[in-house]
Amino acid sequence: MTVRWKHLIVLVILLPLLGLGVGWSGLMSVRASTGHWAITDWFLHWVMRNSVATRVAFVDTPPLDDPALIPGAAGHFETGCATCHGSPAQAAPASVLAMLPPPPDLKKVVLEWTDAELFEIVKHGVRFTGMPAWPTQSRDDEVWSMVAFLRKLPDMDANAYMQASGLHGIGHAGEVSPLPITCESCHAESKLNDTSLIPRLAGQSEAYLLNALKAYADTKRPSGIMQVAAGTLPREGLPELAAYYANQPRATRPLVQQDAGLVEKGRVLAEEGRVADKIPACLSCHDKASANPAYPKLSGQNSAYLRQQLSLFHAEIRGGSFYGHLMEGVAKQLTPEDIDAASAYFSQR
Ligand code: HEC
Ligand code: HEC
Ligand code: HEC
């Protein structure tokens, strides 16, 4: 018995030492050029699949059929994903395909995953592979819109992809040289409508636009999409962008027929607030000439965008500029019906 114990103790001490010795010797290869052994490759993917499958057990998949989910995600795919995975408009560069493991062509592999599994991979990334996590962990709606986009990807040709992402290109479909994504790829007035989750910027307050861009760049307003778009720009360029959009005329567009009762409820909230619930009149801060110019205009904004921002404020995850806390206090008091009503009203105002 005593002899066995001794053996065990020697083994427990020796094994880690042996491991350290092998690591120290430099004999273990970390070369990506030689690839993994087939068994290592199989093992790593097996571990990854099990990990993803276990973590999605309690993930509820929201409805993903709203077409408004696609444009922001598609534009972000081009800047944040296509660099590694390629896209229907352009294959991944050879330098990236030399990664270990190489980023797969998503058109081919997304069918192997459920919506919840794609959500898990895109939100959290995959360790030891180079697959990054979503730039912010505090909101899930953008990640779900990326999942909605990935579902459409297998059926997209170069034209459909360029249309969805707002990518401009030189040449003909199939042999285009895409130009980089710009602000207009996503924010062009002509592409937006009342159901868009991408906000109209034309004619918005300049001070507010600048504060919003700084808030994204400083990660004080979480958005994976806008953190990438604004965070990669030189800071000195932000005032020019804010001025450019503030001076754009906001195109008039046909009014969407909203529920009249809802609009009326929104009007009352906007003009009078609701004293019993300590809700101030929205118009005491918004769309008022004498108010602080750093407060945003809401009139004519897409109702879907307004609804989403109010829901984010209500859940205390919207963040924003130095003034964001003012709005958080207001939004906490709003019911889901108030949010629908105010959004319907301001979109028509
Ligand atoms: C720096 C390169 C890189 C970027 C950027 C990147 N990925 Fe990946 N991605 C990878 C690599 C490498 C893998 C392979 C992981 C593996 O094989 O386990 C991967 C795997 C995936 C997978 C799982 C596919 C499979 O079957 O293995 C999905 C889905 C995915 N990426 C989506 C995205 C999306 C969406 C984005 C943009 C938000 C993105 N990736 C950005 C490198 C990248
Ligand atoms: C890939 C699509 C995409 C690109 C490219 C993009 N945006 Fe955005 N932008 C969005 C989305 C989506 C939102 C809403 C994000 C949120 O929920 O906070 C947004 C929000 C904004 C806001 C906040 C407006 C408000 O009312 O609060 C500003 C300002 C803005 N973008 C400016 C820009 C500028 C300037 C550029 C170019 C440097 C740009 N965006 C590029 C998609 C994009
Ligand atoms: C005390 C002043 C104040 C009141 C009252 C107020 N807000 Fe705000 N609201 C703000 C400020 C300030 C911001 C911008 C925060 C930032 O800079 O990030 C804002 C932002 C918003 C936004 C986001 C706009 C965008 O483009 O992203 C919406 C939507 C909004 N408010 C709706 C409302 C509604 C609806 C009401 C009434 C129920 C209301 N607000 C009442 C101060 C106020």
Side-chain angles (χ1 to χ4, degrees), residues 161-246:
Y161 174 74
M162 291 181 62
Q163 193 102 40
S165 60
L167 201 62
H168 305 280
I170 309 166
H172 303 291
E175 49 193 65
V176 282
S177 308
L179 298 170
I181 289 277
T182 64
C183 312
E184 282 294 284
S185 305
C186 292
H187 286 284
E189 276 277 294
S190 58
K191 292 184 186 165
L192 303 179
N193 61 43
D194 194 56
T195 63
S196 296
L197 295 167
I198 300 175
R200 305 180 85 178
L201 304 179
Q204 180 57 280
S205 137
E206 186 173 339
Y208 172 73
L209 289 176
L210 181 57
N211 284 345
L213 289 171
K214 285 183 182 161
Y216 286 127
D218 297 342
T219 66
K220 295 203 172 107
R221 178 171 172 186
S223 162
I225 298 174
M226 272 310 297
Q227 276 169 230
V228 168
T232 46
L233 295 172
R235 209 157 168 101
E236 319 81 76
L238 301 183
E240 201 182 317
L241 283 167
Y244 172 78
Y245 278 109

Side-chain angles (χ1 to χ4, degrees), residues 318-347:
R318 156 59 157 71
S321 75
F322 169 76
Y323 301 105
H325 64 280
L326 292 175
M327 190 53 218
E328 207 159 83
V330 177
K332 256 190 284 189
Q333 303 300 113
L334 300 177
T335 64
E337 205 202 351
D338 291 335
I339 289 180
D340 287 348
S343 305
Y345 170 72
F346 277 108
S347 71

Side-chain angles (χ1 to χ4, degrees), residues 222-279:
S223 162
I225 298 174
M226 272 310 297
Q227 276 169 230
V228 168
T232 46
L233 295 172
R235 209 157 168 101
E236 319 81 76
L238 301 183
E240 201 182 317
L241 283 167
Y244 172 78
Y245 278 109
N247 293 324
Q248 293 262 310
R250 185 172 280 204
T252 45
R253 59 187 183 198
L255 277 191
V256 176
Q257 206 54 48
Q258 308 269 13
D259 180 291
L262 207 57
V263 173
E264 176 55 17
K265 196 167 178 275
R267 186 192 63 77
V268 173
L269 204 58
E271 290 180 359
E272 299 163 21
R274 193 161 63 235
V275 181
D277 293 328
K278 297 206 182 79
I279 300 174

Side-chain angles (χ1 to χ4, degrees), residues 90-112:
Q90 212 166 33
S95 56
V96 162
L97 293 176
M99 282 171 68
L100 184 68
D105 179 354
L106 294 178
K107 249 175 124 96
K108 295 186 184 137
V109 296
V110 287
L111 295 169
E112 296 168 17

